[in-house]
Amino acid sequence: MLKSRHLPGIALVAFLIWFVFVMFRPDPCKSDQFRVNLCELYESNIITGTLCPHVCKSKTWKFHHCHVDKTGQISFIEKPSILKLGHQAEQLWHGHSASGLYMTPEEGMNVRAFKKLLKDFLDTRLGSSDHEQIFRRILNVADVNADGKISLSEAKTIWSLIQNNEFLLLLVFQGSHYVSELRGFCGDFYAVEYVLQNSLPVLPPTGINRYWSSLYDIAWHKKVKICIGLLEFTLEAYQHGADGSFYMCDLGEHTIGYTKNYEARVTNLALTFPRKTLHRYVKRHFCNADADCVYTRQCQTTCDRATRRCSADLVRPNLVYVCQIIERYMFPDVPRGVRGELKVLLDRCKSLNIYARDMQLQHSLLLNELKSLLWKQISSDV
């Protein structure tokens, strides 16, 4: 048995070992070299951004909490933000040379030509329509120094940023209460709002995983608030004005989170696409059956056997998968008095498909009925 007088010495040795490990271990997130590469571009006036001064002048800028999701997107956590890498910043993170990056637009392109490039890009990505609002939003974000002009470094930066589907969607849905707020950028390295929980902790039916998940469980009325927000965003995506419909092709508990005030947040938009983009992708492929028109489980379309091409309309709307999430997240916590009515609505919702009569009408009715029922739960709880 150790005597107490030995404990201070053991604690000191343990501290020294920990200190040496922290100070001299390899940088797991490669942040030091990434910063050097990024700041060389900034200091050479090739890129710019609201985050660049912080990244390039801070003496303590370093990340140890890096994450690569299943889409391959790299992110870092630095509360109150999550920082993500676009394609060209990712090349820097992997140690590739900066030469050949941030090449568009080329020197000599005038502002009128650049604006034409932007408009053509929006028509390609979002479909031919009136995109004036998002066009102006892009130019406002691009104007980092707020002088009313777009410099070459600002043009290169915003062009590289909007090639990233998630960043473009952050601008499209800017102002939505249910999408993480954009917090700044440097080149196509950008920051979004950090949320309390970046996924919904659905409880497994049994076992130790249920015990650990229960540590993140919250009160019924707070779950209701989160689910109302999820339904509201589903409606926003389904009917987004001039920009048309957006399809959430990676919809699940892992892409839905919430803030400290229990407001729903869509935490990953990387696989959310305009109807136009998804249609352009699926129509490239010949099909013999609907099974040939599957992009993801949440984004499956139908096969037009006459043309042997895939359609642009989802077999099952995103609302079907939202209702599945709500059911897994809320049950078995649903109070007995509302359980039956909610189950009926969710079952109707999960049966929605393109072959049903008046599917569009049923979609609208179910959204409204679900929101109305859930709002009553909050009202009666207050």
Side-chain angles (χ1 to χ4, degrees), residues 284-326:
R284 296 176 193 162
H285 306 285
F286 286 103
C287 63
N288 293 307
D290 291 351
D292 299 324
C293 300
V294 176
Y295 181 71
T296 67
R297 187 176 71 87
Q298 296 89 348
C299 287
Q300 303 179 36
T301 69
T302 57
C303 178
D304 183 338
R305 287 168 177 79
T307 62
R308 294 183 59 204
R309 296 287 186 178
C310 298
S311 75
D313 297 313
L314 298 186
V315 174
R316 287 173 291 278
N318 283 153
L319 181 59
V320 169
Y321 302 101
V322 167
C323 288
Q324 290 177 359
I325 293 169
I326 289 174

Side-chain angles (χ1 to χ4, degrees), residues 117-132:
L117 184 68
L118 282 179
K119 287 188 174 182
D120 290 345
F121 170 81
L122 291 175
D123 283 345
T124 301
R125 291 291 288 272
L126 303 178
S128 299
S129 186
D130 178 12
H131 303 301
E132 188 63 23

Side-chain angles (χ1 to χ4, degrees), residues 70-229:
K70 68 178 185 179
T71 67
Q73 187 174 56
I74 301 162
S75 60
F76 310 101
I77 295 176
E78 186 193 28
K79 296 178 184 179
S81 298
I82 296 177
L83 299 110
K84 301 186 177 185
L85 280 67
H87 176 69
Q88 305 203 61
E90 187 178 331
Q91 299 301 304
L92 294 176
W93 185 80
H94 284 299
H96 295 175
S97 169
S99 60
L101 299 179
Y102 300 100
M103 299 297 288
T104 304
E106 296 179 353
E107 190 169 357
M109 177 180 279
N110 61 37
V111 174
R112 179 177 295 179
F114 178 62
K115 289 182 177 179
K116 172 72 164 51
L117 184 68
L118 282 179
K119 287 188 174 182
D120 290 345
F121 170 81
L122 291 175
D123 283 345
T124 301
R125 291 291 288 272
L126 303 178
S128 299
S129 186
D130 178 12
H131 303 301
E132 188 63 23
Q133 186 176 20
I134 180 63
F135 175 71
R136 292 295 169 194
R137 196 172 293 163
I138 288 171
L139 292 180
N140 287 338
V141 172
D143 187 11
V144 174
N145 60 6
D147 65 352
K149 303 174 183 178
I150 302 296
S151 67
L152 182 59
S153 62
E154 289 172 337
K156 286 180 181 291
T157 296
I158 196 63
W159 180 254
S160 64
L161 280 164
I162 62 175
Q163 304 310 305
N164 182 301
N165 186 66
E166 179 173 56
F167 187 90
L168 178 62
L169 269 288
L170 287 172
L171 295 185
V172 168
F173 287 101
Q174 191 178 84
S176 169
H177 294 295
Y178 311 111
V179 171
S180 296
E181 179 186 345
L182 181 65
R183 293 287 175 83
F185 54 89
C186 182
D188 62 340
F189 175 58
Y190 61 100
V192 297
E193 168 193 20
Y194 175 86
V195 295
L196 173 69
Q197 186 74 22
N198 63 5
S199 62
L200 292 183
V202 175
L203 300 181
T206 58
I208 192 168
N209 287 336
R210 178 176 175 85
Y211 168 75
W212 288 114
S213 298
S214 68
L215 299 177
Y216 298 96
D217 205 14
I218 59 176
W220 156 252
H221 70 280
K222 294 173 181 175
K223 285 187 174 184
V224 169
K225 185 177 179 182
I226 292 166
C227 290
I228 289 173

Side-chain angles (χ1 to χ4, degrees), residues 38-59:
L38 192 71
C39 293
E40 281 181 1
L41 290 167
Y42 172 58
E43 289 157 6
S44 300
N45 205 33
I46 295 172
I47 62 171
T48 187
T50 53
L51 279 183
C52 289
H54 168 68
V55 170
C56 298
K57 295 178 181 179
S58 170
K59 302 298 182 184

Side-chain angles (χ1 to χ4, degrees), residues 231-232 234-236 238-239 317 319-320 323 345 348-349 352-353 357-373:
L231 289 167
E232 293 279 7
T234 303
L235 181 59
E236 282 186 24
Y238 190 68
Q239 299 175 342
L319 181 59
V320 169
C323 288
L345 287 177
R348 280 175 50 202
C349 176
L352 278 176
N353 62 67
R357 179 182 294 182
D358 298 327
M359 198 277 285
Q360 300 281 354
L361 177 61
Q362 290 300 317
H363 188 283
S364 296
L365 287 173
L366 278 165
L367 256 171
N368 288 329
E369 288 179 57
L370 280 165
K371 286 195 298 178
S372 176
L373 178 62

